[in-house]
Amino acid sequence: RLLKKNTKIIFVNMLIGIAYALIVDTIAVGINIWYFSPEKILGIWILNIPIEEILWAILVAIAISSATIFFIDSLRHGSLNKLLEKKSS
């Protein structure tokens, strides 16, 4: 329920992650800072970036957004503090 309630936040973060990946990866590949080995990718490219890199950006954005939402929620409800108190005892 918590993630469903915050879908817009996750979606916006996902778009930011994709935009960042497209910009940074396009520049880095363009000036030969890094490259993607043709033997290790599917061969589907979007704006000079392999689809795997875009999927990675999406998954990382979703994971970070979800973890942040859970962390903030646990702080609001005190469950994180209770867990930390049990471990320190």
Side-chain angles (χ1 to χ4, degrees):
R1 278 186 263 155
L2 183 62
L3 292 180
K4 192 172 186 178
K5 188 170 79 174
N6 292 288
T7 304
K8 288 180 186 178
I9 294 170
I10 295 171
F11 184 74
V12 168
N13 284 329
M14 186 180 68
L15 291 178
I16 292 169
I18 293 169
Y20 177 81
L22 287 175
I23 292 167
V24 171
D25 288 354
T26 300
I27 292 169
V29 170
I31 59 176
N32 295 320
I33 291 176
W34 69 69
Y35 97 116
F36 301 100
S37 174
E39 301 89 41
K40 301 193 182 210
I41 59 171
L42 294 173
I44 302 168
W45 294 75
I46 298 174
L47 297 176
N48 203 29
I49 306 297
I51 192 74
E52 295 91 338
E53 186 72 8
I54 294 170
L55 292 173
W56 177 84
I58 291 169
L59 292 175
V60 167
I62 290 171
I64 291 172
S65 299
S66 300
T68 303
I69 288 166
F70 282 125
F71 180 73
I72 290 169
D73 187 66
S74 69
L75 288 177
R76 284 186 188 149
H77 293 96
S79 57
L80 184 62
N81 293 334
K82 290 175 190 173
L83 179 65
L84 293 174
E85 286 172 5
K86 283 183 183 178
K87 287 193 175 201
S88 66
S89 298

